[in-house]
PDB file of all heavy atoms in Angstrom:
ATOM      1  N   GLN A 163     -32.265 -51.930  17.092  1.00 97.00           N
ATOM      2  CA  GLN A 163     -32.661 -50.643  17.668  1.00 97.00           C
ATOM      3  C   GLN A 163     -34.073 -50.279  17.175  1.00 97.00           C
ATOM      4  O   GLN A 163     -34.517 -50.794  16.141  1.00 97.00           O
ATOM      5  CB  GLN A 163     -31.701 -49.527  17.217  1.00 97.00           C
ATOM      6  CG  GLN A 163     -30.261 -49.700  17.684  1.00 97.00           C
ATOM      7  CD  GLN A 163     -29.379 -48.545  17.230  1.00 97.00           C
ATOM      8  OE1 GLN A 163     -29.283 -48.268  16.039  1.00 97.00           O
ATOM      9  NE2 GLN A 163     -28.739 -47.881  18.175  1.00 97.00           N
ATOM     10  N   GLY A 165     -35.528 -47.629  15.269  1.00 95.00           N
ATOM     11  CA  GLY A 165     -34.972 -46.565  14.434  1.00 95.00           C
ATOM     12  C   GLY A 165     -33.458 -46.691  14.345  1.00 95.00           C
ATOM     13  O   GLY A 165     -32.886 -47.736  14.684  1.00 95.00           O
ATOM     14  N   CYS A 166     -32.806 -45.614  13.916  1.00 95.00           N
ATOM     15  CA  CYS A 166     -31.348 -45.633  13.771  1.00 95.00           C
ATOM     16  C   CYS A 166     -30.866 -44.195  13.594  1.00 95.00           C
ATOM     17  O   CYS A 166     -31.551 -43.377  12.983  1.00 95.00           O
ATOM     18  CB  CYS A 166     -30.964 -46.461  12.543  1.00 95.00           C
ATOM     19  SG  CYS A 166     -29.180 -46.579  12.309  1.00 95.00           S
ATOM     20  N   SER A 167     -29.695 -43.913  14.142  1.00 96.00           N
ATOM     21  CA  SER A 167     -29.192 -42.532  14.063  1.00 96.00           C
ATOM     22  C   SER A 167     -28.261 -42.315  12.873  1.00 96.00           C
ATOM     23  O   SER A 167     -27.819 -41.199  12.651  1.00 96.00           O
ATOM     24  CB  SER A 167     -28.430 -42.193  15.352  1.00 96.00           C
ATOM     25  OG  SER A 167     -27.239 -42.952  15.394  1.00 96.00           O
ATOM     26  N   ARG A 168     -27.959 -43.366  12.101  1.00 96.00           N
ATOM     27  CA  ARG A 168     -26.861 -43.259  11.141  1.00 96.00           C
ATOM     28  C   ARG A 168     -27.246 -42.682   9.780  1.00 96.00           C
ATOM     29  O   ARG A 168     -26.359 -42.379   8.968  1.00 96.00           O
ATOM     30  CB  ARG A 168     -26.164 -44.613  10.990  1.00 96.00           C
ATOM     31  CG  ARG A 168     -25.518 -45.089  12.295  1.00 96.00           C
ATOM     32  CD  ARG A 168     -24.498 -44.096  12.811  1.00 96.00           C
ATOM     33  NE  ARG A 168     -23.907 -44.507  14.084  1.00 96.00           N
ATOM     34  CZ  ARG A 168     -22.954 -43.837  14.706  1.00 96.00           C
ATOM     35  NH1 ARG A 168     -22.502 -42.699  14.192  1.00 96.00           N
ATOM     36  NH2 ARG A 168     -22.466 -44.262  15.842  1.00 96.00           N
ATOM     37  N   ALA A 169     -28.523 -42.588   9.503  1.00 93.00           N
ATOM     38  CA  ALA A 169     -29.033 -41.786   8.370  1.00 93.00           C
ATOM     39  C   ALA A 169     -28.447 -42.132   7.004  1.00 93.00           C
ATOM     40  O   ALA A 169     -28.194 -41.245   6.191  1.00 93.00           O
ATOM     41  CB  ALA A 169     -28.806 -40.300   8.670  1.00 93.00           C
ATOM     42  N   CYS A 170     -28.234 -43.431   6.743  1.00 93.00           N
ATOM     43  CA  CYS A 170     -27.790 -43.817   5.398  1.00 93.00           C
ATOM     44  C   CYS A 170     -28.887 -43.415   4.402  1.00 93.00           C
ATOM     45  O   CYS A 170     -30.079 -43.640   4.658  1.00 93.00           O
ATOM     46  CB  CYS A 170     -27.545 -45.314   5.319  1.00 93.00           C
ATOM     47  SG  CYS A 170     -26.347 -45.877   6.544  1.00 93.00           S
ATOM     48  N   ALA A 171     -28.474 -42.842   3.276  1.00 91.00           N
ATOM     49  CA  ALA A 171     -29.452 -42.225   2.374  1.00 91.00           C
ATOM     50  C   ALA A 171     -30.419 -43.231   1.763  1.00 91.00           C
ATOM     51  O   ALA A 171     -31.556 -42.881   1.445  1.00 91.00           O
ATOM     52  CB  ALA A 171     -28.703 -41.480   1.273  1.00 91.00           C
ATOM     53  N   PHE A 172     -29.973 -44.489   1.606  1.00 88.00           N
ATOM     54  CA  PHE A 172     -30.816 -45.485   0.933  1.00 88.00           C
ATOM     55  C   PHE A 172     -31.788 -46.167   1.878  1.00 88.00           C
ATOM     56  O   PHE A 172     -32.538 -47.047   1.468  1.00 88.00           O
ATOM     57  CB  PHE A 172     -29.920 -46.565   0.291  1.00 88.00           C
ATOM     58  CG  PHE A 172     -29.001 -47.230   1.272  1.00 88.00           C
ATOM     59  CD1 PHE A 172     -29.437 -48.288   2.051  1.00 88.00           C
ATOM     60  CD2 PHE A 172     -27.707 -46.767   1.452  1.00 88.00           C
ATOM     61  CE1 PHE A 172     -28.594 -48.877   2.989  1.00 88.00           C
ATOM     62  CE2 PHE A 172     -26.860 -47.362   2.384  1.00 88.00           C
ATOM     63  CZ  PHE A 172     -27.305 -48.418   3.152  1.00 88.00           C
ATOM     64  N   CYS A 173     -31.779 -45.790   3.160  1.00 88.00           N
ATOM     65  CA  CYS A 173     -32.437 -46.607   4.174  1.00 88.00           C
ATOM     66  C   CYS A 173     -33.637 -45.898   4.799  1.00 88.00           C
ATOM     67  O   CYS A 173     -33.513 -44.799   5.349  1.00 88.00           O
ATOM     68  CB  CYS A 173     -31.421 -46.965   5.257  1.00 88.00           C
ATOM     69  SG  CYS A 173     -32.132 -47.857   6.630  1.00 88.00           S
ATOM     70  N   ALA A 174     -34.792 -46.565   4.748  1.00 83.00           N
ATOM     71  CA  ALA A 174     -36.007 -45.984   5.316  1.00 83.00           C
ATOM     72  C   ALA A 174     -35.914 -45.874   6.837  1.00 83.00           C
ATOM     73  O   ALA A 174     -36.440 -44.941   7.439  1.00 83.00           O
ATOM     74  CB  ALA A 174     -37.212 -46.838   4.925  1.00 83.00           C
ATOM     75  N   THR A 175     -35.242 -46.828   7.483  1.00 84.00           N
ATOM     76  CA  THR A 175     -35.110 -46.777   8.951  1.00 84.00           C
ATOM     77  C   THR A 175     -34.385 -45.510   9.372  1.00 84.00           C
ATOM     78  O   THR A 175     -34.773 -44.833  10.334  1.00 84.00           O
ATOM     79  CB  THR A 175     -34.296 -47.991   9.471  1.00 84.00           C
ATOM     80  OG1 THR A 175     -34.921 -49.191   9.041  1.00 84.00           O
ATOM     81  CG2 THR A 175     -34.199 -47.979  10.979  1.00 84.00           C
ATOM     82  N   GLY A 176     -33.305 -45.187   8.652  1.00 83.00           N
ATOM     83  CA  GLY A 176     -32.481 -44.047   9.016  1.00 83.00           C
ATOM     84  C   GLY A 176     -33.229 -42.725   8.952  1.00 83.00           C
ATOM     85  O   GLY A 176     -32.876 -41.760   9.641  1.00 83.00           O
ATOM     86  N   LYS A 177     -34.276 -42.675   8.138  1.00 85.00           N
ATOM     87  CA  LYS A 177     -35.015 -41.408   7.978  1.00 85.00           C
ATOM     88  C   LYS A 177     -35.760 -41.025   9.260  1.00 85.00           C
ATOM     89  O   LYS A 177     -35.996 -39.856   9.534  1.00 85.00           O
ATOM     90  CB  LYS A 177     -36.021 -41.532   6.828  1.00 85.00           C
ATOM     91  CG  LYS A 177     -35.339 -41.584   5.475  1.00 85.00           C
ATOM     92  CD  LYS A 177     -36.335 -41.428   4.342  1.00 85.00           C
ATOM     93  CE  LYS A 177     -35.687 -41.419   2.975  1.00 85.00           C
ATOM     94  NZ  LYS A 177     -34.517 -42.225   2.796  1.00 85.00           N
ATOM     95  N   MET A 211     -29.556 -57.374  10.296  1.00 94.00           N
ATOM     96  CA  MET A 211     -29.625 -56.427   9.179  1.00 94.00           C
ATOM     97  C   MET A 211     -30.984 -55.748   9.145  1.00 94.00           C
ATOM     98  O   MET A 211     -31.384 -55.195   8.122  1.00 94.00           O
ATOM     99  CB  MET A 211     -29.408 -57.146   7.845  1.00 94.00           C
ATOM    100  CG  MET A 211     -28.013 -57.685   7.644  1.00 94.00           C
ATOM    101  SD  MET A 211     -27.797 -58.324   5.977  1.00 94.00           S
ATOM    102  CE  MET A 211     -26.163 -59.059   6.121  1.00 94.00           C
ATOM    103  N   GLY A 212     -31.731 -55.862  10.245  1.00 94.00           N
ATOM    104  CA  GLY A 212     -33.029 -55.213  10.301  1.00 94.00           C
ATOM    105  C   GLY A 212     -32.856 -53.746  10.679  1.00 94.00           C
ATOM    106  O   GLY A 212     -31.909 -53.092  10.258  1.00 94.00           O
ATOM    107  N   MET A 213     -33.754 -53.241  11.526  1.00 94.00           N
ATOM    108  CA  MET A 213     -33.674 -51.824  11.890  1.00 94.00           C
ATOM    109  C   MET A 213     -32.544 -51.623  12.909  1.00 94.00           C
ATOM    110  O   MET A 213     -32.391 -52.395  13.852  1.00 94.00           O
ATOM    111  CB  MET A 213     -35.013 -51.385  12.490  1.00 94.00           C
ATOM    112  CG  MET A 213     -36.149 -51.511  11.490  1.00 94.00           C
ATOM    113  SD  MET A 213     -37.775 -51.233  12.220  1.00 94.00           S
ATOM    114  CE  MET A 213     -37.687 -49.501  12.584  1.00 94.00           C
ATOM    115  N   GLY A 214     -31.780 -50.554  12.690  1.00 96.00           N
ATOM    116  CA  GLY A 214     -30.757 -50.189  13.667  1.00 96.00           C
ATOM    117  C   GLY A 214     -29.357 -50.600  13.272  1.00 96.00           C
ATOM    118  O   GLY A 214     -29.154 -51.445  12.400  1.00 96.00           O
ATOM    119  N   GLU A 215     -28.395 -49.954  13.917  1.00 97.00           N
ATOM    120  CA  GLU A 215     -26.976 -50.262  13.723  1.00 97.00           C
ATOM    121  C   GLU A 215     -26.547 -51.119  14.923  1.00 97.00           C
ATOM    122  O   GLU A 215     -26.419 -50.612  16.052  1.00 97.00           O
ATOM    123  CB  GLU A 215     -26.178 -48.953  13.635  1.00 97.00           C
ATOM    124  CG  GLU A 215     -24.692 -49.075  13.830  1.00 97.00           C
ATOM    125  CD  GLU A 215     -24.007 -50.069  12.891  1.00 97.00           C
ATOM    126  OE1 GLU A 215     -24.088 -49.880  11.670  1.00 97.00           O
ATOM    127  OE2 GLU A 215     -23.400 -51.028  13.398  1.00 97.00           O
ATOM    128  N   PRO A 216     -26.319 -52.434  14.714  1.00 98.00           N
ATOM    129  CA  PRO A 216     -26.032 -53.326  15.851  1.00 98.00           C
ATOM    130  C   PRO A 216     -24.827 -52.886  16.675  1.00 98.00           C
ATOM    131  O   PRO A 216     -24.808 -53.069  17.891  1.00 98.00           O
ATOM    132  CB  PRO A 216     -25.750 -54.680  15.198  1.00 98.00           C
ATOM    133  CG  PRO A 216     -26.254 -54.573  13.804  1.00 98.00           C
ATOM    134  CD  PRO A 216     -26.338 -53.144  13.430  1.00 98.00           C
ATOM    135  N   ASP A 218     -23.977 -49.965  17.436  1.00 98.00           N
ATOM    136  CA  ASP A 218     -24.360 -48.864  18.334  1.00 98.00           C
ATOM    137  C   ASP A 218     -25.096 -49.387  19.567  1.00 98.00           C
ATOM    138  O   ASP A 218     -25.437 -48.611  20.461  1.00 98.00           O
ATOM    139  CB  ASP A 218     -25.260 -47.863  17.603  1.00 98.00           C
ATOM    140  CG  ASP A 218     -24.463 -46.934  16.693  1.00 98.00           C
ATOM    141  OD1 ASP A 218     -23.235 -46.815  16.887  1.00 98.00           O
ATOM    142  OD2 ASP A 218     -25.066 -46.328  15.792  1.00 98.00           O
ATOM    143  N   SER A 246     -24.282 -56.963  10.734  1.00 96.00           N
ATOM    144  CA  SER A 246     -24.043 -56.033   9.630  1.00 96.00           C
ATOM    145  C   SER A 246     -23.858 -54.617  10.187  1.00 96.00           C
ATOM    146  O   SER A 246     -24.635 -54.176  11.030  1.00 96.00           O
ATOM    147  CB  SER A 246     -25.238 -56.053   8.680  1.00 96.00           C
ATOM    148  OG  SER A 246     -25.063 -55.087   7.683  1.00 96.00           O
ATOM    149  N   THR A 247     -22.839 -53.940   9.719  1.00 97.00           N
ATOM    150  CA  THR A 247     -22.579 -52.580  10.204  1.00 97.00           C
ATOM    151  C   THR A 247     -22.413 -51.612   9.038  1.00 97.00           C
ATOM    152  O   THR A 247     -22.010 -52.013   7.948  1.00 97.00           O
ATOM    153  CB  THR A 247     -21.318 -52.542  11.094  1.00 97.00           C
ATOM    154  OG1 THR A 247     -21.079 -51.193  11.502  1.00 97.00           O
ATOM    155  CG2 THR A 247     -20.089 -53.052  10.357  1.00 97.00           C
ATOM    156  N   CYS A 248     -22.716 -50.341   9.323  1.00 97.00           N
ATOM    157  CA  CYS A 248     -22.481 -49.318   8.297  1.00 97.00           C
ATOM    158  C   CYS A 248     -21.019 -48.882   8.319  1.00 97.00           C
ATOM    159  O   CYS A 248     -20.591 -48.108   7.465  1.00 97.00           O
ATOM    160  CB  CYS A 248     -23.414 -48.131   8.501  1.00 97.00           C
ATOM    161  SG  CYS A 248     -23.137 -47.220  10.032  1.00 97.00           S
ATOM    162  N   GLY A 249     -20.245 -49.373   9.317  1.00 97.00           N
ATOM    163  CA  GLY A 249     -18.815 -49.047   9.336  1.00 97.00           C
ATOM    164  C   GLY A 249     -18.379 -48.314  10.591  1.00 97.00           C
ATOM    165  O   GLY A 249     -17.595 -47.367  10.535  1.00 97.00           O
ATOM    166  N   ILE A 250     -18.881 -48.765  11.759  1.00 98.00           N
ATOM    167  CA  ILE A 250     -18.497 -48.155  13.035  1.00 98.00           C
ATOM    168  C   ILE A 250     -17.135 -48.749  13.425  1.00 98.00           C
ATOM    169  O   ILE A 250     -17.075 -49.832  14.051  1.00 98.00           O
ATOM    170  CB  ILE A 250     -19.538 -48.467  14.137  1.00 98.00           C
ATOM    171  CG1 ILE A 250     -20.966 -48.232  13.649  1.00 98.00           C
ATOM    172  CG2 ILE A 250     -19.240 -47.692  15.418  1.00 98.00           C
ATOM    173  CD1 ILE A 250     -21.344 -46.800  13.459  1.00 98.00           C
ATOM    174  N   SER A 269     -21.706 -52.583   5.191  1.00 96.00           N
ATOM    175  CA  SER A 269     -22.409 -51.866   4.139  1.00 96.00           C
ATOM    176  C   SER A 269     -21.449 -50.806   3.602  1.00 96.00           C
ATOM    177  O   SER A 269     -21.237 -49.782   4.236  1.00 96.00           O
ATOM    178  CB  SER A 269     -23.668 -51.241   4.765  1.00 96.00           C
ATOM    179  OG  SER A 269     -24.474 -50.700   3.782  1.00 96.00           O
ATOM    180  N   ASN A 271     -20.833 -49.710  -0.105  1.00 97.00           N
ATOM    181  CA  ASN A 271     -21.560 -48.904  -1.111  1.00 97.00           C
ATOM    182  C   ASN A 271     -20.718 -47.955  -1.946  1.00 97.00           C
ATOM    183  O   ASN A 271     -21.174 -47.476  -2.979  1.00 97.00           O
ATOM    184  CB  ASN A 271     -22.723 -48.137  -0.462  1.00 97.00           C
ATOM    185  CG  ASN A 271     -23.639 -49.104   0.246  1.00 97.00           C
ATOM    186  OD1 ASN A 271     -23.980 -50.143  -0.301  1.00 97.00           O
ATOM    187  ND2 ASN A 271     -23.990 -48.811   1.478  1.00 97.00           N
ATOM    188  N   MET A 282     -23.569 -42.393   2.764  1.00 96.00           N
ATOM    189  CA  MET A 282     -23.489 -42.783   4.167  1.00 96.00           C
ATOM    190  C   MET A 282     -22.742 -41.735   4.995  1.00 96.00           C
ATOM    191  O   MET A 282     -21.520 -41.622   4.922  1.00 96.00           O
ATOM    192  CB  MET A 282     -22.751 -44.130   4.287  1.00 96.00           C
ATOM    193  CG  MET A 282     -23.304 -45.169   3.334  1.00 96.00           C
ATOM    194  SD  MET A 282     -22.507 -46.741   3.550  1.00 96.00           S
ATOM    195  CE  MET A 282     -23.215 -47.259   5.104  1.00 96.00           C
ATOM    196  N   GLY A 389     -33.067 -52.003   3.006  1.00 66.00           N
ATOM    197  CA  GLY A 389     -33.262 -50.548   3.062  1.00 66.00           C
ATOM    198  C   GLY A 389     -34.698 -50.109   3.220  1.00 66.00           C
ATOM    199  O   GLY A 389     -34.972 -48.924   3.354  1.00 66.00           O
ATOM    200  N   LEU A 391     -37.076 -51.232   5.588  1.00 67.00           N
ATOM    201  CA  LEU A 391     -37.778 -51.397   6.866  1.00 67.00           C
ATOM    202  C   LEU A 391     -37.987 -50.059   7.560  1.00 67.00           C
ATOM    203  O   LEU A 391     -37.048 -49.323   7.796  1.00 67.00           O
ATOM    204  CB  LEU A 391     -36.989 -52.334   7.792  1.00 67.00           C
ATOM    205  CG  LEU A 391     -36.742 -53.742   7.264  1.00 67.00           C
ATOM    206  CD1 LEU A 391     -36.103 -54.602   8.333  1.00 67.00           C
ATOM    207  CD2 LEU A 391     -38.019 -54.378   6.762  1.00 67.00           C
TER     208      LEU A 391
HETATM  209  S1  SF4 B 269     -28.604 -48.908   6.776  1.00 84.40           S
HETATM  210 FE1  SF4 B 269     -28.395 -49.608   8.888  1.00 84.40          FE
HETATM  211  S2  SF4 B 269     -26.977 -48.111   9.803  1.00 84.40           S
HETATM  212 FE2  SF4 B 269     -27.729 -47.171   7.919  1.00 84.40          FE
HETATM  213  S3  SF4 B 269     -29.510 -45.943   8.582  1.00 84.40           S
HETATM  214 FE3  SF4 B 269     -30.273 -47.969   7.949  1.00 84.40          FE
HETATM  215  S4  SF4 B 269     -30.399 -49.143   9.819  1.00 84.40           S
HETATM  216 FE4  SF4 B 269     -29.052 -47.398  10.230  1.00 84.40          FE
END
Side-chain angles (χ1 to χ4, degrees):
Q163 297 181 303
C166 182
S167 69
R168 297 301 178 177
C170 303
F172 56 84
C173 175
T175 303
K177 289 191 178 33
M211 292 187 187
M213 298 172 69
E215 163 55 60
D218 282 341
S246 175
T247 178
C248 65
I250 313 289
S269 188
N271 304 315
M282 311 183 73
L391 301 187

